[in-house]
Amino acid sequence: MNYANLNDFLKRGTAIFAKGPVALIFAEDPVEVDSTILHHLCLGFRHVVVFGGPTIEIEPHITEGPDSEKVHFVAYDLLPDHAVQQAVNAVAMQMPKEWLFYCYNAEYLFFPFCESRTIGEMVTFHTEERRDAMLTYVIDLYAEDLEANPDAVSLDEAYLDRSGYFALGRPDAMRHPKERQLDFFGGLRWRFEEFVPKPKRKIDRISIFKAKPDVLLRDDFTFTEEEYNTYSCPWHHNLTAAVASFRAAKALRRNPGSAFNINTFMWHASTRFEWDSAQLMDLGLMEPGQWF
């Protein structure tokens, strides 16, 4: 179903808002929009909502296929500042106590054992652990051959960094470290940090969360309720997830300041992405917690 704008979606999307989990995909360009939709449908999201401009087209085999009632397109301008946060917060206000996930096109959510368990099962377990949000690490993907793939996107030959990730304490207003909160770094944003503005170098997002009144997503992908921003509860480790993302690679290849200085993203710690959760857990890029 198509919606003319965000307000139209908020008025007519009542069936979508009734029950989560729901995936919100923000399509900044036409790259891999269809594969992003299909990936998240396969994870078991009840609905997938795509926000994008007039250049975004979804293939008929998705919009007219067996899952067509689960796929929705909202005409939406992503260029203004805070556009993503405003849309996420607006939808969250319509879905109190329901689970939401948000990402961009050419980004793919993975959680522990997602090949055999659904997103619904995962958030149900997370809820039982008295958690209302989940930390996700944005893991940069990139193509091996940039001449063959000038936008650095290749699903068949995707690579990621197997090392080079680290965390620093997250300070509060008094410069004291916040409890159970860290800023995480690594991937292309770390290796090519001279081309990345400092506020955009972190790779942590709270991208899976239970909507709650007056709890808002901020510009740095954290929430106004501090407990949402923690990586685990006080008594044991919790589940974390990963978002495998071509977004940084695309940006570095398109930005005139970096495009002519980068001939390859490959280095000694590059490894082929196997598109499964086991690899990400083995590399320490997500945590199964108590879920086995």
Side-chain angles (χ1 to χ4, degrees):
M1 183 175 290
N2 294 334
Y3 301 86
N5 50 50
L6 178 59
N7 287 334
D8 183 35
F9 176 59
L10 297 177
K11 290 178 182 177
R12 297 198 292 126
T14 52
I16 302 167
F17 304 145
K19 185 71 174 175
V22 170
L24 310 179
I25 298 172
F26 294 90
E28 300 175 299
D29 54 48
V31 176
E32 295 297 340
V33 172
D34 294 333
S35 67
T36 308
I37 295 170
L38 292 171
H39 177 85
H40 293 93
L41 285 174
C42 288
L43 291 180
F45 282 98
R46 290 180 180 272
H47 295 278
V48 174
V49 185
V50 181
F51 295 79
T55 63
I56 306 303
E57 296 183 359
I58 302 173
E59 288 295 322
H61 74 273
I62 296 176
T63 58
E64 300 172 8
D67 289 324
S68 60
E69 293 184 356
K70 299 180 180 180
V71 180
H72 312 267
F73 180 79
V74 181
Y76 191 68
D77 186 0
L78 296 179
L79 291 179
D81 293 339
H82 321 302
V84 170
Q85 287 77 13
Q86 288 174 359
V88 171
N89 290 330
V91 175
M93 290 295 290
Q94 302 291 322
M95 299 186 62
K97 299 183 180 180
E98 297 297 335
W99 285 90
L100 287 167
F101 164 75
Y102 69 92
C103 70
Y104 297 87
N105 60 301
E107 293 193 330
Y108 309 89
L109 174 66
F110 286 83
F111 54 85
F113 320 115
C114 61
E115 293 78 17
S116 58
R117 302 182 190 177
T118 68
I119 183 69
E121 291 173 305
M122 191 268 285
V123 297
T124 296
F125 176 83
H126 207 51
T127 301
E128 291 170 350
E129 294 211 314
R130 290 181 284 170
R131 298 288 287 169
D132 291 334
M134 181 177 292
L135 173 67
T136 58
Y137 303 110
V138 180
I139 307 303
D140 293 327
L141 301 181
Y142 46 88
E144 177 182 21
D145 186 347
L146 297 184
E147 290 189 7
N149 304 281
D151 62 357
V153 178
S154 173
L155 300 186
D156 295 330
E157 296 184 359
Y159 283 76
L160 77 164
D161 291 1
R162 65 174 177 267
S163 62
Y165 302 94
F166 62 98
L168 300 175
R170 179 176 294 168
D172 61 17
M174 301 299 294
R175 308 304 298 172
H176 298 139
K178 293 184 177 182
E179 181 184 359
R180 292 175 287 118
Q181 294 190 43
L182 296 168
D183 291 329
F184 295 86
F185 302 89
L188 300 182
R189 294 170 181 80
W190 170 62
R191 289 201 279 130
F192 298 93
E193 65 176 10
E194 65 270 28
F195 302 116
V196 182
K198 188 174 181 180
K200 297 184 180 297
R201 291 177 188 169
K202 296 194 306 124
I203 64 168
D204 51 275
R205 277 186 209 160
I206 307 299
S207 54
I208 304 174
F209 68 98
K210 183 186 288 187
K212 184 186 295 186
D214 301 322
V215 176
L216 301 176
L217 178 67
R218 299 185 290 214
D219 291 345
D220 63 353
F221 302 119
T222 64
F223 280 85
T224 53
E225 182 170 313
E226 292 298 337
E227 187 62 28
Y228 272 47
N229 305 324
T230 58
Y231 53 78
S232 71
C233 62
W235 49 87
H236 64 63
H237 291 299
N238 290 111
L239 277 161
T240 60
V243 177
S245 171
F246 286 103
R247 189 169 182 243
K250 288 193 300 172
L252 289 168
R253 289 293 292 168
R254 289 178 178 173
N255 189 329
S258 56
F260 297 105
N261 292 284
I262 299 174
N263 297 317
T264 182
F265 290 123
M266 302 294 287
W267 68 319
H268 69 276
S270 295
T271 191
R272 191 77 168 259
F273 184 42
E274 298 173 4
W275 295 95
D276 65 45
S277 61
Q279 181 188 29
L280 295 169
M281 286 189 285
D282 289 344
L283 292 174
L285 298 176
M286 61 185 182
E287 166 70 54
Q290 312 300 307
W291 200 33
F292 297 101

